[in-house]
Amino acid sequence: DVLVIKPAALGGLRSAQALAAEAARAGVDFYVTSMLDSAYGVAAATHLAAALPAAALAHGLATAALFSFDLARSPLPDGGWLSVPTAPGWGIEADAAGLERARAGQSIEVGA
Protein backbone atom coordinates (compact mmCIF):
# COMPACT_ATOMS: atom_id res chain seq x y z
CA ASP A 1 0.00 0.00 0.00
CA VAL A 2 1.18 3.48 -0.88
CA LEU A 3 -0.18 6.84 0.20
CA VAL A 4 -0.53 9.49 -2.50
CA ILE A 5 -0.22 12.99 -1.02
CA LYS A 6 -1.84 15.82 -3.00
CA PRO A 7 -1.30 19.09 -1.11
CA ALA A 8 -4.07 20.92 -2.99
CA ALA A 9 -6.61 18.23 -2.09
CA LEU A 10 -5.49 18.14 1.54
CA GLY A 11 -5.90 21.84 2.23
CA GLY A 12 -2.31 22.94 1.72
CA LEU A 13 1.27 22.25 2.62
CA ARG A 14 0.94 22.00 6.39
CA SER A 15 -1.74 19.32 6.32
CA ALA A 16 0.14 17.46 3.57
CA GLN A 17 3.35 17.62 5.59
CA ALA A 18 1.56 16.35 8.72
CA LEU A 19 0.08 13.43 6.78
CA ALA A 20 3.48 12.55 5.30
CA ALA A 21 5.06 12.63 8.77
CA GLU A 22 2.36 10.33 10.12
CA ALA A 23 2.84 7.96 7.18
CA ALA A 24 6.61 7.91 7.75
CA ARG A 25 6.13 7.15 11.47
CA ALA A 26 3.77 4.31 10.55
CA GLY A 27 6.18 2.90 7.97
CA VAL A 28 3.82 3.63 5.06
CA ASP A 29 5.41 4.54 1.74
CA PHE A 30 4.18 7.77 0.19
CA TYR A 31 4.83 10.16 -2.62
CA VAL A 32 3.75 13.72 -3.41
CA THR A 33 1.81 14.55 -6.56
CA SER A 34 0.22 17.64 -7.92
CA MET A 35 -3.33 17.81 -9.11
CA LEU A 36 -3.82 19.80 -12.29
CA ASP A 37 -2.25 22.75 -10.52
CA SER A 38 -0.79 25.88 -12.03
CA ALA A 39 2.96 26.35 -11.88
CA TYR A 40 2.49 27.82 -8.40
CA GLY A 41 0.85 24.66 -7.07
CA VAL A 42 3.48 22.45 -8.68
CA ALA A 43 6.27 24.62 -7.23
CA ALA A 44 4.72 24.40 -3.76
CA ALA A 45 4.38 20.61 -4.03
CA THR A 46 7.97 20.38 -5.27
CA HIS A 47 9.24 22.27 -2.23
CA LEU A 48 7.15 20.00 0.02
CA ALA A 49 8.51 16.84 -1.61
CA ALA A 50 12.07 18.11 -1.15
CA ALA A 51 11.46 18.88 2.53
CA LEU A 52 10.05 15.45 3.41
CA PRO A 53 12.01 12.33 4.29
CA ALA A 54 13.21 10.57 1.16
CA ALA A 55 10.41 8.62 -0.48
CA ALA A 56 10.98 5.18 -1.92
CA LEU A 57 8.95 6.17 -4.97
CA ALA A 58 9.32 9.04 -7.41
CA HIS A 59 7.07 12.03 -6.78
CA GLY A 60 4.58 12.92 -9.53
CA LEU A 61 5.14 16.61 -10.17
CA ALA A 62 5.80 16.94 -13.90
CA THR A 63 2.32 18.06 -14.94
CA ALA A 64 3.17 21.51 -16.34
CA ALA A 65 3.23 20.31 -19.96
CA LEU A 66 -0.44 19.29 -19.73
CA PHE A 67 -1.60 22.92 -20.01
CA SER A 68 -1.78 25.02 -23.14
CA PHE A 69 -0.65 27.98 -20.97
CA ASP A 70 0.16 28.67 -17.33
CA LEU A 71 0.45 31.60 -14.94
CA ALA A 72 4.20 31.17 -14.50
CA ARG A 73 7.11 29.38 -16.07
CA SER A 74 7.21 26.02 -14.34
CA PRO A 75 10.45 24.06 -14.04
CA LEU A 76 10.51 21.17 -16.47
CA PRO A 77 11.95 17.74 -15.77
CA ASP A 78 15.44 17.00 -17.04
CA GLY A 79 16.23 13.33 -17.45
CA GLY A 80 13.29 12.41 -15.23
CA TRP A 81 14.32 14.79 -12.45
CA LEU A 82 12.66 18.02 -11.39
CA SER A 83 14.94 20.51 -9.65
CA VAL A 84 13.69 22.52 -6.70
CA PRO A 85 13.48 26.16 -7.76
CA THR A 86 15.96 28.34 -5.87
CA ALA A 87 14.79 31.88 -6.67
CA PRO A 88 12.88 33.86 -3.98
CA GLY A 89 9.31 32.86 -3.14
CA TRP A 90 8.31 29.63 -4.83
CA GLY A 91 11.25 30.13 -7.16
CA ILE A 92 9.29 30.59 -10.35
CA GLU A 93 8.77 33.57 -12.61
CA ALA A 94 5.31 34.88 -13.54
CA ASP A 95 4.42 34.61 -17.23
CA ALA A 96 2.86 37.89 -18.37
CA ALA A 97 1.22 36.27 -21.40
CA GLY A 98 -0.29 33.52 -19.25
CA LEU A 99 -1.57 36.01 -16.70
CA GLU A 100 -3.15 38.10 -19.46
CA ARG A 101 -4.77 35.04 -21.03
CA ALA A 102 -6.22 33.94 -17.66
CA ARG A 103 -7.58 37.38 -16.85
CA ALA A 104 -11.34 37.22 -16.29
CA GLY A 105 -12.26 40.62 -17.62
CA GLN A 106 -11.59 44.32 -17.67
CA SER A 107 -9.06 45.48 -15.10
CA ILE A 108 -10.21 48.18 -12.68
CA GLU A 109 -8.26 50.10 -10.09
CA VAL A 110 -9.75 50.25 -6.63
CA GLY A 111 -8.58 52.94 -4.24
CA ALA A 112 -9.28 53.58 -0.60
Side-chain angles (χ1 to χ4, degrees):
D1 292 335
V2 176
L3 179 63
V4 178
I5 298 176
K6 294 182 178 283
L10 293 168
L13 298 176
R14 286 189 178 159
S15 56
Q17 182 182 29
L19 183 59
E22 185 66 28
R25 282 192 294 277
V28 175
D29 286 333
F30 64 87
Y31 62 99
V32 176
T33 69
S34 57
M35 296 180 69
L36 288 177
D37 298 326
S38 74
Y40 293 99
V42 172
T46 301
H47 282 276
L48 173 67
L52 295 174
L57 304 166
H59 300 289
L61 300 169
T63 57
L66 297 175
F67 293 110
S68 62
F69 75 97
D70 205 340
L71 304 177
R73 294 180 190 97
S74 187
L76 299 173
D78 182 20
W81 292 91
L82 189 64
S83 296
V84 178
T86 57
W90 290 120
I92 57 177
E93 183 180 330
D95 181 356
L99 291 170
E100 179 62 28
R101 187 168 173 190
R103 192 166 64 127
Q106 185 73 21
S107 296
I108 59 170
E109 186 173 329
V110 178

